[in-house]
Amino acid sequence: MKNKILYLECHSGISGDMTVGALLDLGADRKVLEQALKSLPLDGYSIEIKDVFKSGIRACDFHVKLDAAHENHDHDMEYLHNHALHDAQTQIQHTHAHQQEASHDAHAHQHTTAHAHEYTIAHPHHQEASVHDHCTHAHEHTARNLNDIIAVIRAGALTENAKKLAIRIFKILAKAEATVHGKRIDEVHFHEVGAVDSIVDIVAAAVCIDNLNADAIIVSPLTDGQGQIRCQHGLIPVPVPAVAAIAVNEGLTLKSSATRGELVTPTGAAIAAAVSTGKSLPEEYKICKMGFGAGKRDYETAGILRAMLIEPAFSDTWDTILTLETNIDDCTGEALSYTMQLLFEAGALDVFYVPIYMKKSRPACLLKVICRPEDRTIMEAIIFQNTTTIGIRASQSTRTKLERRILAIETPWGMADVKCCTHGQETYYYPENDSICRLAAANKTGFPEMYHMVQAYARDACRSK
């Protein structure tokens, strides 16, 4: 059975709304999405889904429409890039600073009348307030911590897979924000990513990905722009700090372009990091369906995210595997041998050791375990309980497996089990070790000779049918 692969092509960057639009255009069930969003304990928004044209290409626009109290101007290009606005902000800040200095002796914390006209400039991904006409008071957004957001997600009528994915995306964002601001994850209070529109974007993306039920998800390198973008404290470089932190923490691959501006948002980067199960497409594949998601900002680039459902051209099967590894320099060989036995009994796909040298030139071993992602907890428990390691690294990837079956073949030397594997138009035959050992002993023949005789016989017998 051929596997279904979801491919996200991020040549124009990626954001939360672009992702949702592309997945809906690809075939994610709109009714399932709408029901899931309605079940969340959130208000102050509505959603609009429509077709738009970006660079002459029809794309799906997923728009979270906020009421006045929640508007964040994320797509206001003049707000993001207008230098006159920046100059006005600087002038007001300087005026306020001089007024504060002049009044310091009278009252260190007294606000001058000019302060009543101050407004807050905030990056769309760290939004604390809204700016209206560059001069009105700010509308403060609700700041939420990670536990608050997790509670919102868990309260919704989502599948367990969709809930887990949405929570994983927010945890990636929390880790990035903690890195940028030098805080613990539990100290981080989200602003833009805790705002209504970002919760909706992330939950919607998780619901759509779960609904499409792909066997693997491949994400291309994330193409970002260059230059600077406005934030709460002035201008910051692209990629913005949160995106850069996600790239470091999660091993994302970024690609620079000539476009001046932010193409990859923290929400988009977090989604890419959370869903990706691999980086390489099959060498040959068939495109089953395409979808296009529209971005809101107008840059020189097309501003679309293309999503594709593809199948390998050959009959290989794909699945997702997890590799666990740890360096151990103070554990006995007997303990390691027993650990390997337990890991295999618990369902590990493979377990092996690699000789290494560690600190102070100590001989040691690298323990590597390949397992299914759902078996991670039991595998780590076995390793911690039976070795001296205090840390385990994990990485997820896709695996290509040839279609296989075991054939029981009557040969001139006796019955033999032969593994039959298919790749494209080619079929390969691999006699099972136990069968060859038994036949070699019974026929008083060397192992290599018996192996090749059984292999050739099985190949000729199967091809003649």
Side-chain angles (χ1 to χ4, degrees):
M1 180 178 178
K2 296 181 180 179
N3 285 35
K4 181 170 58 176
I5 303 168
L6 171 61
Y7 176 50
L8 298 180
E9 188 180 70
C10 308
H11 295 339
S12 293
I14 184 172
S15 64
D17 54 352
M18 291 170 72
T19 304
V20 179
L23 297 175
L24 286 171
D25 201 39
L26 192 61
D29 194 315
R30 177 171 171 173
K31 289 184 178 180
V32 170
L33 173 60
E34 291 173 343
Q35 290 171 358
L37 294 179
K38 287 179 181 178
S39 71
L40 297 175
L42 289 175
D43 54 19
Y45 80 97
S46 61
I47 62 170
E48 180 181 57
I49 302 171
K50 63 182 180 180
D51 285 349
V52 297
F53 286 88
K54 304 283 288 187
S55 298
I57 299 174
R58 184 207 56 78
C60 178
D61 178 39
F62 177 77
H63 186 198
V64 181
K65 302 175 68 175
L66 302 173
D67 60 22
H70 295 85
E71 177 56 51
N72 69 11
H73 291 257
D74 181 47
H75 313 302
D76 186 341
M77 297 298 287
E78 184 168 343
Y79 161 70
L80 294 173
H81 299 284
N82 186 286
H83 292 285
L85 176 60
H86 176 254
D87 294 339
Q89 177 201 16
T90 302
Q91 180 62 40
I92 289 175
Q93 288 174 338
H94 286 173
T95 300
H96 181 57
H98 287 307
Q99 290 170 334
Q100 280 187 318
E101 183 178 354
S103 62
H104 182 269
D105 292 336
H107 196 298
H109 303 289
Q110 181 179 354
H111 288 245
T112 66
T113 56
H115 184 66
H117 300 289
E118 184 181 1
Y119 53 81
T120 302
I121 303 295
H123 187 275
H125 307 294
H126 304 279
Q127 189 79 19
E128 294 186 40
S130 298
V131 181
H132 297 287
D133 298 326
H134 304 167
C135 62
T136 61
H137 291 293
H139 293 290
E140 293 185 2
H141 285 187
T142 301
R144 295 177 172 92
N145 62 28
L146 182 60
N147 287 334
D148 295 331
I149 294 171
I150 290 175
V152 170
I153 295 170
R154 287 181 173 162
L158 286 64
T159 67
E160 283 303 310
N161 285 337
K163 288 181 181 180
K164 288 179 182 178
L165 179 54
I167 291 170
R168 171 165 165 72
I169 295 169
F170 268 108
K171 285 183 176 180
I172 290 172
L173 281 167
K175 184 178 179 181
E177 294 289 342
T179 299
V180 170
H181 298 295
K183 297 182 178 181
R184 299 194 311 269
I185 289 180
D186 60 354
E187 294 177 328
V188 171
H189 281 75
F190 295 96
H191 299 294
E192 191 273 340
V193 293
V196 171
D197 56 338
S198 292
I199 294 177
V200 173
D201 280 345
I202 288 172
V203 170
V207 170
C208 289
I209 288 169
D210 176 65
N211 182 252
L212 288 171
N213 193 30
D215 299 295
I217 302 176
I218 309 297
V219 181
S220 76
L222 311 186
T223 299
D224 208 347
Q226 58 176 287
Q228 296 176 313
I229 192 167
R230 196 173 313 288
C231 77
Q232 182 182 2
H233 305 290
L235 297 175
I236 56 175
V238 175
V240 298
V243 168
I246 292 171
V248 171
N249 295 340
E250 308 300 328
L252 285 181
T253 301
L254 299 181
K255 182 179 179 181
S256 182
S257 72
T259 300
R260 298 193 65 80
E262 178 194 32
L263 303 182
V264 178
T265 70
T267 298
I271 291 172
V275 305
S276 177
T277 60
K279 298 181 179 179
S280 299
L281 289 170
E283 185 175 345
E284 298 181 32
Y285 58 86
K286 298 176 182 178
I287 300 176
C288 303
K289 196 171 183 181
M290 287 195 304
F292 296 90
K296 302 294 189 301
R297 302 176 189 172
D298 292 322
Y299 291 121
E300 296 91 340
T301 186
I304 56 173
L305 174 68
R306 180 163 68 169
M308 294 186 284
L309 285 176
I310 65 176
E311 290 180 349
F314 298 127
S315 58
D316 310 334
T317 59
W318 285 52
D319 64 357
T320 301
I321 58 171
L322 195 69
T323 300
L324 305 175
E325 62 178 36
T326 180
N327 300 358
I328 306 174
D329 66 354
D330 56 352
C331 192
T332 66
E334 292 87 349
L336 291 173
S337 174
Y338 182 61
T339 302
M340 175 182 281
Q341 175 185 334
L342 294 178
L343 290 167
F344 276 124
E345 290 175 355
L349 301 173
D350 203 356
V351 182
F352 56 95
Y353 301 102
V354 179
I356 58 173
Y357 287 91
M358 292 177 59
K359 292 177 293 186
K360 301 179 181 179
S361 299
R362 295 174 183 166
C365 70
L366 170 63
L367 166 62
K368 302 195 76 166
V369 180
I370 300 175
C371 65
R372 299 173 184 86
E374 59 267 27
D375 293 334
R376 177 175 181 172
T377 301
I378 183 62
M379 297 296 163
E380 289 183 339
I382 291 172
I383 296 170
F384 282 129
Q385 291 169 2
N386 294 281
T387 74
T388 54
T389 190
I390 58 175
I392 301 171
R393 301 179 295 276
S395 59
Q396 190 167 275
S397 58
T398 56
R399 174 179 62 160
T400 303
K401 301 186 298 181
L402 299 186
E403 287 193 352
R404 66 196 72 180
R405 60 189 188 278
I406 301 296
L407 303 178
I409 297 178
E410 178 68 50
T411 75
W413 311 279
M415 290 293 298
D417 291 332
V418 179
K419 186 181 298 179
C420 176
C421 302
T422 303
H423 179 244
Q425 303 301 316
E426 295 294 327
T427 301
Y428 306 97
Y429 301 89
Y430 303 107
E432 293 288 277
N433 179 76
D434 291 346
S435 293
I436 297 303
C437 289
R438 176 174 46 79
L439 293 180
N443 292 275
K444 302 186 184 306
T445 304
F447 184 95
E449 182 180 0
M450 180 57 64
Y451 183 94
H452 291 300
M453 288 193 301
V454 171
Q455 184 181 48
Y457 185 88
R459 181 170 53 245
D460 293 341
C462 291
R463 287 179 176 176
S464 64
K465 291 183 179 180

